[in-house]
Amino acid sequence: MTEKRIIEVREDFPILRQLVHGKPLTYLDNAATTQKPRTVIDALVKYYSEFNSNIHRGVHELSQRATGAYEDSREKMRLFVNARSETEIIFVRGATEAINLVAQSYGNSVLGAGDEVIISGMEHHANIVPWQLVCEARGARLRVIRLTERGELDLDHFESLLSPRTKLVSIVHASNAIGTVNPVKHVIARAHASGVPVLIDGAQAVAHFETDVRDLDCDFYVLSGHKLYGPTGIGVLYGKKELLERMPPYQGGGDMIRSVTFEKSVYNELPYKFEAGTPHIEGVIGLGAALDYLQGIGWPLIVEHERDLLQYALARLREVPGLRFIADPCERVGVLSFMLDDIHPHDIGTVLDQEGIAIRAGHHCAQPVLERFGVNATARASLALYNTRGEIDRLIDALLMVREVFT
Amino acid sequence: MDPLRELYQQVIVDHSKRPRNRGKLEYSNRKAEGVNTLCGDQVTVYLEVENDVVKDVRFEGGGCAISTASASMMTEAVKSKSLSEVETLFEEFHRLVTSTEPGAQELGKLAVFSGVREFPVRVKCATLVWHTLHEAIRNKGGGA
Ligand SMILES: Cc1ncc(COP(=O)(O)O)c(C=O)c1O
């Protein structure tokens, strides 16, 4: 039943209908970026062919239409993450820029010498380096929550790190390297009990289950549109209004000010205070179309199908001789990071590519977590709503072929 | 032969599993490190050069089958060669993995790397150790 519906869903993604090296494309690199449904591609074309113009400043018809579409997307995003107000939705380039914004604006204003920021041992470089930069500038210290053997947060260690010096906790919702889904609600509650705000990196979470920033009670939540069936170059920073209001601007320029004189500029209200310059208009519109698309599919189908597919993939991969996962978290998304005998992941990737199968091989921009598990690269297959059991079977056959090539 | 078999010829797989001349060269007088920024693989080349001749050569590191086999076979190919012969080999090898133009010189065993040509993203894996070797030759006085 679900499988039949997924076959229909695949029809919505034009890119999936192609052969790669003469074989049907099996796209299993969704943690890097997801493919785009026809409606997202059409929304971009429609914008450029019918109402391209700058926003928030035109009195003319096209500008009003573009502004309307841009702001509609903000409202869609508000609903998508269940934020209280659309002023809490700030459009940025992606998860990376959102974290840098918080590090530079919030971090710079609250961190002093000896203060601490807590992250975890499974962060993407995007949630490590911005904190290193601001900590270095402010004389603050980065503390790292240890991981258990299974690849989960060591919550006792987290508790022991919380102290009066802690100014912020920033952790990933779902890991792009090992797939762990963290108990972020618990982490947020514990941090709040100590008066510490929390940023959640939702880059790998938002496409796979419902996000509710009010239920989580996180202070910041970041995501990238391109991992959510939307265009590249667009992402979102959600922030609680009280915090965003207190934060200084991240970049200066047009749109983010109310009035400018050479003596002093008055900043615009939220969210525009953080959206300096002409934004990525078509990106925002395309992201809105992606959210519409997901709403049309509905969470029940996505969650059920991906859960089923993940269980199937785990079971089938475990049958492959010589294959081992580097971590084994209980709560996880469809990110499968593995090693095969002592075959280098790049060689695995090359053989799979010849079979039309796209996976990622390397460190996945998360070197510390791989090091924690004693490897410097893995092969990673990552699932999305349009993947099928048939594609998992193809992956398994190709992995058996890899073993043949290397014995 | 299909492109995969051409790429992963038995000789290459064999060298990748049992690399020759791997390890530190204690009495080296030239050395260089190379990194493949694409994957983070690292290789170190140690040379003992006397009278412009490679008396001994070893490597440490490597990564994928292509880069490890290339390192292993490079060490076998350049031992006892003069530095100018090594430079010519490097140029020939580079030509082999990037173009179909016939080279000026026989590459002997190294010819098994011709399959890499069909896999542009893997060219760096094959040439990393050669670039590092080139670097080491220029690093006079950089012993282990
Ligand atoms: C967990 C996580 N955080 C942050 C990022 C950065 O996203 P972007 O490169 O879209 O800014 C990624 C991308 O791979 C990710 O997986």
Side-chain angles (χ1 to χ4, degrees):
Chain A
M1 172 55 213
T2 309
E3 191 83 0
K4 192 167 150 264
R5 180 76 184 91
I6 296 305
I7 301 302
E8 289 164 21
V9 164
R10 290 181 71 79
E11 293 296 309
D12 299 334
F13 291 81
I15 207 169
L16 298 179
R17 281 176 232 150
Q18 68 180 295
L19 300 181
V20 168
H21 300 302
K23 312 274 169 59
L25 168 64
T26 300
Y27 187 77
L28 296 172
D29 193 16
N30 294 288
T33 197
T34 55
Q35 298 303 344
K36 322 304 172 197
R38 162 69 67 200
T39 49
V40 168
I41 300 165
D42 287 349
L44 303 180
V45 173
K46 186 175 161 79
Y47 165 66
Y48 279 121
S49 36
E50 294 178 20
F51 57 99
N52 168 53
S53 58
N54 214 323
I55 56 167
H56 294 149
R57 51 188 88 160
V59 293
H60 58 77
E61 169 68 17
L62 294 192
S63 174
Q64 287 174 32
R65 282 178 63 191
T67 306
Y70 184 88
E71 292 301 331
D72 279 352
S73 287
R74 199 190 305 275
E75 172 59 15
K76 287 171 192 170
M77 187 47 82
R78 181 194 73 74
L79 275 168
F80 183 78
V81 298
N82 195 29
R84 193 163 312 210
S85 154
E86 75 285 350
T87 60
E88 299 178 315
I89 302 295
I90 293 156
F91 288 120
V92 292
R93 266 168 51 221
T96 302
E97 190 178 43
I99 297 171
N100 277 280
L101 190 163
V102 177
Q104 288 304 317
S105 169
Y106 186 79
N108 241 326
S109 49
V110 303
L111 287 173
D115 285 340
E116 295 181 348
V117 173
I118 298 178
I119 61 172
S120 86
M122 65 172 88
E123 300 306 320
H124 186 279
H125 296 166
N127 199 25
I128 302 174
V129 186
W131 303 114
Q132 287 174 330
L133 289 171
V134 65
C135 283
E136 189 168 344
R138 308 297 306 175
R141 200 166 155 214
L142 199 56
R143 306 302 302 268
V144 184
I145 307 169
R146 282 198 296 258
L147 304 185
T148 65
E149 254 332 283
R150 296 190 81 106
E152 294 167 342
L153 296 181
D154 179 339
L155 293 171
D156 292 335
H157 186 237
F158 167 59
E159 300 275 339
S160 74
L161 289 178
L162 273 174
S163 83
R165 290 183 299 276
T166 313
K167 289 294 179 298
L168 191 81
V169 173
S170 187
I171 59 162
V172 73
H173 201 165
S175 157
N176 71 307
I178 52 177
T180 314
V181 176
N182 286 314
V184 291
K185 200 170 167 178
H186 170 82
V187 169
I188 292 162
R190 293 300 305 135
H192 284 178
S194 307
V196 177
V198 181
L199 182 151
I200 302 295
D201 173 1
Q204 296 294 344
V206 286
H208 306 293
F209 47 83
E210 213 165 339
T211 308
D212 185 336
V213 294
R214 270 191 278 175
D215 177 53
L216 292 178
D217 198 28
C218 54
D219 301 274
F220 300 103
Y221 197 95
V222 308
L223 62 93
S224 287
H226 70 97
K227 297 182 196 283
L228 186 57
Y229 307 103
T232 53
I234 190 67
V236 171
L237 166 65
Y238 157 83
K240 279 185 184 162
K241 200 170 170 184
E242 315 83 82
L243 282 168
L244 293 175
E245 266 168 355
R246 276 193 274 133
M247 286 159 54
Y250 169 55
Q251 292 180 334
D255 258 359
M256 57 73 69
I257 36 75
R258 188 167 287 151
S259 69
V260 177
T261 65
F262 286 117
E263 286 69 44
K264 183 168 172 56
S265 299
V266 179
Y267 306 134
N268 205 339
E269 62 198 9
L270 289 175
Y272 311 109
K273 181 169 94 178
F274 290 107
E275 292 182 3
T278 299
H280 186 17
I281 305 171
E282 95 263 23
V284 169
I285 291 171
L287 181 55
L291 299 182
D292 288 342
Y293 179 78
L294 285 171
Q295 199 184 23
I297 304 276
W299 282 118
L301 178 74
I302 297 171
V303 170
E304 188 196 321
H305 170 63
E306 289 190 4
R307 189 193 301 128
D308 171 76
L309 195 61
L310 174 58
Q311 291 315 320
Y312 184 73
L314 283 169
R316 294 252 25 219
L317 284 165
R318 289 196 174 108
E319 286 167 14
V320 177
L323 187 143
R324 71 181 174 92
F325 293 110
I326 64 161
D328 185 25
C330 295
E331 293 293 325
R332 62 195 301 169
V333 286
V335 170
L336 301 151
S337 232
F338 60 86
M339 312 290 290
L340 186 57
D341 298 319
D342 55 356
I343 305 167
H344 193 280
H346 271 199
D347 296 313
I348 300 174
T350 294
V351 178
L352 296 194
D353 179 53
Q354 287 299 301
E355 294 299 301
I357 302 170
I359 60 150
R360 174 91 184 259
H363 58 53
H364 323 302
C365 296
Q367 286 179 316
V369 59
L370 294 202
E371 198 177 311
R372 158 71 178 78
F373 290 101
V375 297
N376 50 31
T378 70
R380 181 188 73 184
S382 50
L383 312 176
L385 77 98
Y386 40 64
N387 290 123
T388 62
R389 285 184 174 221
E391 289 181 307
I392 301 300
D393 294 340
R394 243 176 271 153
L395 171 68
I396 302 299
D397 291 345
L399 288 172
L400 296 174
M401 217 177 103
V402 172
R403 296 195 80 219
E404 249 169 59
V405 172
F406 289 97
T407 47
Chain B
M1 222 185 327
D2 75 80
L4 267 186
R5 299 285 165 187
E6 182 89 33
L7 177 68
Y8 294 115
Q9 294 193 35
Q10 205 50 52
V11 187
I12 291 182
V13 172
D14 178 64
H15 273 266
S16 78
K17 292 190 160 170
R18 277 182 310 270
R20 328 292 197 258
N21 303 309
R22 191 182 211 166
K24 202 167 172 168
L25 186 61
E26 294 301 337
Y27 38 86
S28 74
N29 52 17
R30 313 224 183 150
K31 170 187 147 181
E33 281 168 34
V35 178
N36 186 343
T37 47
L38 192 72
C39 55
D41 283 348
Q42 289 184 10
V43 67
T44 307
V45 172
Y46 301 93
L47 290 174
E48 187 197 358
V49 178
E50 219 179 271
N51 300 326
D52 282 350
V53 170
V54 176
K55 273 198 69 188
D56 206 352
V57 52
R58 287 180 148 251
F59 79 99
E60 269 185 325
C64 63
I66 305 298
S67 72
T68 306
S70 180
S72 170
M73 293 180 72
M74 176 281 284
T75 59
E76 291 194 322
V78 303
K79 213 178 248 187
S80 317
K81 295 267 189 330
S82 74
L83 294 186
S84 67
E85 284 171 324
V86 170
E87 285 300 322
T88 314
L89 259 185
F90 175 33
E91 281 164 31
E92 292 297 320
F93 184 80
H94 200 267
R95 192 197 328 274
L96 174 81
V97 295
T98 54
S99 85
T100 49
E101 262 173 63
Q105 191 190 315
E106 279 297 314
L107 271 163
K109 282 187 189 168
L110 293 174
V112 294
F113 284 96
S114 63
V116 174
R117 221 184 269 147
E118 300 299 320
F119 297 83
V121 293
R122 303 304 300 272
V123 168
K124 259 203 156 163
C125 307
T127 55
L128 174 67
V129 77
W130 286 90
H131 285 289
T132 311
L133 167 72
H134 187 71
E135 194 58 35
I137 289 174
R138 289 188 307 184
N139 277 350
K140 287 192 185 166

